[in-house]
Amino acid sequence: MENNIRIETPVTDEEIRKLKAGDNVLITGVIYTARDAAHKRLIELINRGEKLPIDPKGQIIYYVGPAPAKPGYVVGPAGPTTSYRMDSYTPPLLELGLKGMIGKGLRSKEVINAMKEHGAVYFGAVGGAAALISKSIKKAEVVCYEDLGAEAIHRFYVEDFPAIVVIDSYGNNLYESEPPKYRIQ
Amino acid sequence: MREVNAKVIQQTVKELFLEANYVIGKDILDKLRQQYETEESPIGKSVLNQIIKNDEIAAEEKIALCQDTGMAVVFIELGQEVAVVGGDFNDAINQGVKQAYTKGYLRKSVVNDPLFDRVNTKYNIPAITHITIVPGDKITINVTAKGFGSENMSRIKMLKPADGIQGVKDFIVKTAVEAGPNPCPPIILGVGIGGTMEMAAILAKKATTRSVGEHNSDVRYARLEDEILNEINKSGIGPAGLGGRTTALSVNIEYFPTHIAGLPVAVNICCHAARHAQRVI
Ligand code: SF4
């Protein structure tokens, strides 16, 4: 992982537009967690025209439901969950200025189109590298939806969180461009 | 009759789930290291490196190697000369799971009702238990903590006998390739061929707990395992689906007699975090 690009949250449009699929990124700053159940609640609020518990503008959402923290640990193991389950909830958040998502696995056309339109990036973290990733999380607190347990929205303060730009804001997609290079017919 | 106390079963189940969630099998780690050496894709290499480091940290610090610590699946081979005393057998298993997940800082991911309530049961129970009665006076307990990123990409198909070997191969390869990056490749495929629909699925799950590098004892199935593994690794999906030669670590096939009219095939995908542990009591 040479040539790391460092970014700090909140991120600007300009910074996001500079990132290209394949870039290795180290993220520092506040990021928010949300999975299926939390997304569902956020979208219900948006649909009712109510205020959200977090302002997505310039922010990055990490799709994760951490394991409980052992005593002496800030957070438990916290690797990415599969992103497609959040696809139907994602475009309205991008419309509100969400700039990045961290997860694993494929995204829908609708999500990618909304990312291009509003300028956002999809980062991949390594699925199953939860213990390693948790080392870059320096602070963790629940923001809301505590009743959802691991699925509550958390605010993480991260330092040099390792991620790779899988889909950039122009729609370039590593899941499409990389495997063919290694395919044997 | 040999008497085994339910408390011993409970304690064993607890210890096995802790071990499985903290320490990846040596067979898997060795294979990951070997693949790291040969992987051609730079991104793929970096992903494998992260996975290896992760598994080393988890084992050393005794923390879960993946945050999805799975649904608890327990395979029991119960010797018919064993009498379980001092408590309810199924309770002992569930209590063992509950203790492992609460005391071991593992994530509780089970909901009470799949469709309507979806309320977390808080203790990662009930476990899913498969019991087989066997000769002898021992109990073999084989547990696996099954993550759902890979479980969700699993498939079952009732093929026709005429589909034959090629039909079976095509279905297995297609399942792995269509899963793409979602099940956290490199993956391990558990395959069950034959029996009835549920039997094929149970065989497939059991096959995910076989050691990487171990083959089916029938050479024809062993050859098929190698051929399918090769085929999947030609796909280029690679580690984390970001391109490379390492898409699958192992294809493990188990088979069972079936009906004259049928050829059931179940493919249970398991991620590189294939967490299982076994003990005989
Ligand atoms: S598929 Fe496996 S490695 Fe990936 S997040 Fe789920 S349990 Fe972890």
Side-chain angles (χ1 to χ4, degrees):
Chain A
M1 283 233 166
E2 309 90 47
N3 301 327
N4 286 313
I5 298 174
R6 293 199 133 77
I7 62 168
E8 278 184 34
T9 62
V11 281
T12 63
D13 230 19
E14 215 188 347
E15 287 168 310
I16 285 298
R17 289 290 183 192
K18 269 192 215 149
L19 294 175
K20 296 273 162 354
D23 285 348
N24 288 311
V25 173
L26 294 173
I27 303 167
T28 295
V30 166
I31 62 175
Y32 292 95
T33 75
R35 289 172 48 107
D36 320 41
H39 270 82
K40 189 162 176 250
R41 291 191 188 176
L42 292 177
I43 297 311
E44 280 164 6
L45 289 178
I46 293 177
N47 289 344
R48 289 202 303 265
E50 288 173 34
K51 195 170 171 286
L52 297 183
I54 54 165
D55 180 3
K57 205 165 169 6
Q59 299 299 340
I60 295 175
I61 289 182
Y62 182 21
Y63 301 145
V64 60
K70 225 171 133 168
Y73 284 68
V74 167
V75 67
T81 192
T82 320
S83 308
Y84 72 85
R85 298 194 317 271
M86 269 55 77
D87 279 354
S88 59
Y89 304 125
T90 300
L93 292 169
L94 293 170
E95 227 166 275
L96 290 176
L98 180 70
K99 287 288 140 204
M101 299 147 289
I102 309 171
K104 65 165 174 104
L106 306 169
R107 303 310 307 257
S108 70
K109 251 200 205 76
E110 290 73 24
V111 171
I112 297 174
N113 285 339
M115 284 167 53
K116 291 203 283 198
E117 188 183 335
H118 304 290
V121 160
Y122 174 52
F123 298 100
V126 175
L132 176 73
I133 290 171
S134 67
K135 300 290 171 199
S136 59
I137 303 166
K138 304 297 179 192
K139 270 187 229 157
E141 56 182 353
V142 173
V143 179
C144 58
Y145 307 151
E146 200 151 9
D147 60 301
L148 295 178
E151 292 206 51
I153 294 186
H154 294 70
R155 183 187 292 116
F156 283 172
Y157 177 77
V158 299
E159 268 172 30
D160 291 345
F161 181 106
I164 181 164
V165 178
V166 173
I167 307 174
D168 64 25
S169 62
Y170 306 96
N172 300 308
N173 184 347
L174 289 191
Y175 291 139
E176 283 169 4
S177 64
E178 292 306 299
K181 295 183 191 166
Y182 301 94
R183 191 169 297 152
I184 300 167
Q185 295 299 339
Chain B
M1 288 297 257
R2 176 181 166 231
E3 291 191 349
V4 173
N5 197 294
K7 283 269 175 297
V8 176
I9 295 169
Q10 177 177 326
Q11 183 64 19
T12 306
V13 167
K14 175 189 168 188
E15 288 171 14
L16 288 174
F17 272 107
L18 290 176
E19 182 190 324
N21 273 296
Y22 298 159
V23 187
I24 199 70
K26 191 178 174 300
D27 54 321
I28 298 170
L29 199 52
D30 285 348
K31 181 76 179 169
L32 287 167
R33 290 194 177 116
Q34 191 186 322
Q35 291 301 129
Y36 173 78
E37 293 303 326
T38 55
E39 179 56 60
E40 293 166 29
S41 146
I43 302 178
K45 227 176 157 72
S46 134
V47 169
L48 289 173
N49 185 34
Q50 286 193 50
I51 293 171
I52 293 165
K53 268 200 204 153
N54 177 75
D55 293 355
E56 290 169 348
I57 291 172
E60 197 184 311
E61 299 186 16
K62 291 200 164 37
I63 55 176
L65 58 103
C66 183
Q67 79 289 340
D68 182 358
T69 49
M71 192 157 186
V73 181
V74 182
F75 288 98
I76 305 268
E77 284 178 15
L78 180 64
Q80 64 183 18
E81 288 156 44
V82 176
V84 176
V85 298
D88 180 295
F89 188 81
N90 287 305
D91 263 6
I93 292 169
N94 281 317
Q95 286 305 314
V97 171
K98 177 176 166 178
Q99 286 188 349
Y101 279 75
T102 47
K103 301 208 169 122
Y105 304 97
L106 306 178
R107 201 180 76 186
K108 283 63 114 178
S109 314
V110 176
V111 292
N112 66 336
D113 173 284
L115 197 52
F116 294 103
D117 302 339
R118 294 198 71 88
V119 173
N120 198 301
T121 63
K122 292 209 169 73
Y123 304 114
N124 218 53
I125 52 175
I128 292 173
T129 309
H130 304 288
I131 302 176
T132 325
I133 309 289
V134 296
D137 64 355
K138 301 269 188 290
I139 307 176
T140 304
I141 303 180
N142 179 10
V143 312
T144 173
K146 190 63 180 73
F148 259 57
S150 51
E151 191 74 357
N152 282 339
M153 305 318 288
S154 302
R155 300 285 180 265
I156 189 160
K157 194 167 181 186
M158 305 305 280
L159 294 178
K160 298 187 294 295
D163 293 325
I165 299 167
Q166 196 57 45
V168 170
K169 263 188 176 176
D170 290 348
F171 173 61
I172 299 168
V173 173
K174 188 166 166 257
T175 301
V177 171
E178 281 180 0
N182 292 355
C184 292
I187 53 176
I188 289 165
L189 281 96
V191 179
I193 305 177
T196 45
M197 190 183 82
E198 86 285 4
M199 186 64 182
I202 293 167
L203 287 174
K205 174 70 82 248
K206 188 125 195 244
T208 64
T209 70
R210 198 209 280 165
S211 292
V212 167
E214 195 184 309
H215 276 96
N216 192 295
S217 55
D218 183 316
V219 289
R220 296 164 306 171
Y221 284 93
R223 204 177 308 131
L224 192 60
E225 290 173 343
D226 277 342
E227 286 170 11
I228 294 169
L229 179 64
N230 247 322
E231 215 38 59
I232 292 170
N233 283 333
K234 281 185 189 168
S235 68
I237 292 169
L242 296 172
R245 300 264 184 250
T246 316
T247 304
L249 300 175
S250 181
V251 175
N252 305 341
I253 301 178
E254 295 294 333
Y255 65 92
F256 198 82
T258 190
H259 189 276
I260 46 174
L263 178 52
V265 183
V267 182
N268 194 195
I269 299 188
C270 190
C271 45
H272 59 82
R275 291 150 294 178
H276 51 89
Q278 178 174 313
R279 200 184 295 166
V280 180
I281 48 178

